[in-house]
Amino acid sequence: MDGQGLEQLKQKAGEVSELLSKLANPDRLLLLCTLAEQECNVSELAARTGIQQPTLSQQLTVLRNQALVGTRREGKYIYYHLHDERVLSLMQAMYEIFCAHKPI
């Protein structure tokens, strides 16, 4: 590998490390996994994940501030969805590795 290739690899490693640090929280992973399945409002997320207020709002704020989830308003409800396609791909891969029930 030449010097330029190594520098690009280091830059990408830094980007991946930063993204993984944003995901390194059980509540955030649970929220992202739920949002990988479908868009949800806060009430739906609370029901599906069991995460209670104020933790739910706190973690959604972190995810929004880090541009991992986006929002849209419909009437009085705010719906959350995955904003970053890389996160969707990661969540799908992690689901297959850790969550899918496959016979051995």
Side-chain angles (χ1 to χ4, degrees):
M1 180 177 300
D2 64 5
Q4 184 179 3
L6 179 58
E7 284 305 312
Q8 288 177 337
L9 188 58
K10 285 181 180 180
Q11 180 183 354
K12 291 297 178 188
E15 290 174 21
V16 171
S17 177
E18 184 178 329
L19 178 59
L20 290 175
S21 71
K22 293 175 182 178
L23 302 178
N25 175 284
D27 289 334
R28 287 196 294 266
L29 281 172
L30 188 54
L31 289 167
L32 291 169
C33 189
T34 302
L35 292 172
E37 294 175 345
Q38 71 181 56
E39 181 181 68
C40 296
N41 64 38
V42 173
S43 298
E44 293 167 337
L45 284 169
R48 288 172 176 248
T49 64
I51 300 171
Q52 301 296 314
Q53 293 286 355
T55 303
L56 180 60
S57 292
Q58 179 185 23
Q59 295 305 330
L60 285 171
T61 298
V62 170
L63 292 171
R64 242 186 2 258
N65 290 343
Q66 295 173 348
L68 299 179
V69 299
T71 61
R72 73 172 178 85
R73 180 177 290 278
E74 186 175 304
K76 64 179 183 174
Y77 296 102
I78 296 176
Y79 287 86
Y80 291 84
H81 60 271
L82 290 182
H83 179 70
D84 189 325
E85 288 296 321
R86 300 171 305 168
V87 174
L88 177 57
S89 296
L90 267 173
M91 297 310 299
Q92 290 169 335
M94 287 190 287
Y95 180 85
E96 287 298 316
I97 294 167
F98 295 106
C99 303
H101 300 295
K102 297 179 183 178
I104 296 175

